[in-house]
Amino acid sequence: MDRVALVTGGGSGIGRQICLALAAQGRKVAAADLNASGAAETAAQIAAAGGMAIGLGVDVTSLDSIQQGHLQVLDELGPVEILVNCAGWDVLMPFLDTDEDFWDKVIDINYKGVLRTVHTCLPSMIDAGWGRIVNIGSDAARVGSSLEAVYSGAKGGVISFSKTIAREVARKGVTSNVVCPGPTDTPLLDGIIQASADGERVIGAMARAVPMKRVGQPQEVASAVAYLASEEAGFITGQTLSVSGGLTMS
Ligand SMILES: NC(=O)c1ccc[n+]([C@@H]2O[C@H](COP(=O)([O-])OP(=O)(O)OC[C@H]3O[C@@H](n4cnc5c(N)ncnc54)[C@H](O)[C@@H]3O)[C@@H](O)[C@H]2O)c1
């Protein structure tokens, strides 16, 4: 069905692949990203493949920015029925080297960004009696990840929040689930390697910890998201699905 999907972080990496996967299912896609040109490029790739999409410049740390973007989606595509929260950010650092400004930024993007979009998009899903929320967590939240203490905590918050929303709207036709990537080959991972003195060593250790002994590809995460956003996944809610080559098993 040509339902409307809003994907934050849709201008790069995993978020772009999620937009492409949803468009391939016939969804109308709004790619929303702080990087407006990246979002526009995602929309252009979907249009070139025959789909319908718009790119939006949206900052998930601003409720006003999200509400403006939401109105634009409503106007140009229709009410949001699928919400995917994929915007994320981190820098690898020992916890004792971080300060409160850094904590605030990590929590504002990775945790409060999800609260803002769900708060904005959930009412129309409840009114319609149908909705899919898929939040991108991280295996860092499930098994811990050295040098990512604050980010891991924020992503853990995303998992707990998603379960509670799943309970609150369980009888409204709306599902809420989390997909947790393991280390995945994206610009975020590249940036972490570049920004850290021993980034290569840390990423190498991450890949060795994966039973399949490799990092993931963004398309592999996207296909799991597309499934959880589908009509067929209507009886799945409150779940946390790792796409990480076996890094987390539970
Ligand atoms: N790549 C990995 O190894 C990995 C592992 C686990 C989880 N994740 C998660 O997957 C998601 C996607 O990450 P990615 O690897 O594709 O990274 P990426 O950097 O390629 O994409 C993240 C996108 O989020 C956007 N973004 C950042 N701050 C924003 C803001 N304030 N408002 C709107 N957009 C903002 C960026 O502009 C970027 O386009 C993130 O939530 C990340 O935490 C990634």
Side-chain angles (χ1 to χ4, degrees):
M1 281 180 77
D2 62 346
R3 295 186 184 276
V4 175
L6 172 62
V7 182
T8 74
S12 177
I14 294 168
R16 173 170 289 161
Q17 293 305 319
I18 291 169
C19 290
L20 296 174
L22 291 171
Q25 288 182 327
R27 310 311 195 177
K28 294 185 275 189
V29 176
D33 204 296
L34 191 59
N35 174 3
S37 63
E41 169 58 24
T42 300
Q45 289 186 18
I46 290 171
M52 183 181 288
I54 58 173
L56 305 172
V58 167
D59 181 355
V60 300
T61 68
S62 158
L63 186 60
D64 185 55
S65 173
I66 289 168
Q67 289 174 342
Q68 292 300 322
H70 182 246
L71 283 177
Q72 194 180 336
V73 178
L74 186 63
D75 197 39
E76 297 187 33
L77 299 179
V80 173
E81 297 163 292
I82 297 166
L83 170 65
V84 181
N85 278 298
C86 191
W89 180 84
D90 193 23
V91 175
L92 293 193
M93 251 190 284
F95 177 63
L96 292 180
D97 291 351
T98 62
D99 59 21
E100 192 152 358
D101 286 345
F102 178 77
W103 306 345
D104 285 345
K105 181 170 179 178
V106 170
I107 292 166
D108 209 11
I109 296 172
N110 295 286
Y111 182 57
K112 288 185 72 180
V114 176
L115 308 190
R116 293 184 185 99
T117 59
V118 172
H119 202 264
T120 303
C121 297
L122 186 55
S124 65
M125 293 181 187
I126 292 172
D127 286 348
W130 196 96
R132 299 280 184 268
I133 298 169
V134 185
N135 296 322
I136 304 303
S138 171
D139 263 13
R142 308 193 81 188
V143 294
S145 180
S146 296
L147 309 181
E148 295 189 288
V150 185
Y151 170 86
S152 301
K155 291 293 194 179
V158 169
I159 293 172
S160 302
F161 170 73
S162 304
K163 289 179 183 174
T164 298
I165 293 299
R167 290 184 186 278
E168 287 193 7
V169 298
R171 292 186 298 141
K172 307 289 184 190
V174 180
T175 67
S176 167
N177 291 289
V178 176
V179 171
C180 286
T184 306
D185 183 13
T186 70
L188 181 71
L189 198 67
D190 285 346
I192 286 171
I193 294 170
Q194 304 306 329
S196 311
D198 57 354
E200 284 289 355
R201 188 187 60 77
V202 172
I203 299 302
M206 282 180 180
R208 281 194 301 281
V210 174
M212 292 188 185
K213 302 296 175 202
R214 67 171 177 87
V215 300
Q217 292 302 314
Q219 295 86 342
E220 293 173 312
V221 180
S223 54
V225 173
Y227 171 65
L228 289 171
S230 70
E231 320 295 316
E232 291 76 12
F235 202 49
I236 301 173
T237 197
Q239 301 304 304
T240 305
L241 175 63
S242 283
V243 179
S244 59
L247 180 60
T248 297
M249 296 190 189
S250 65

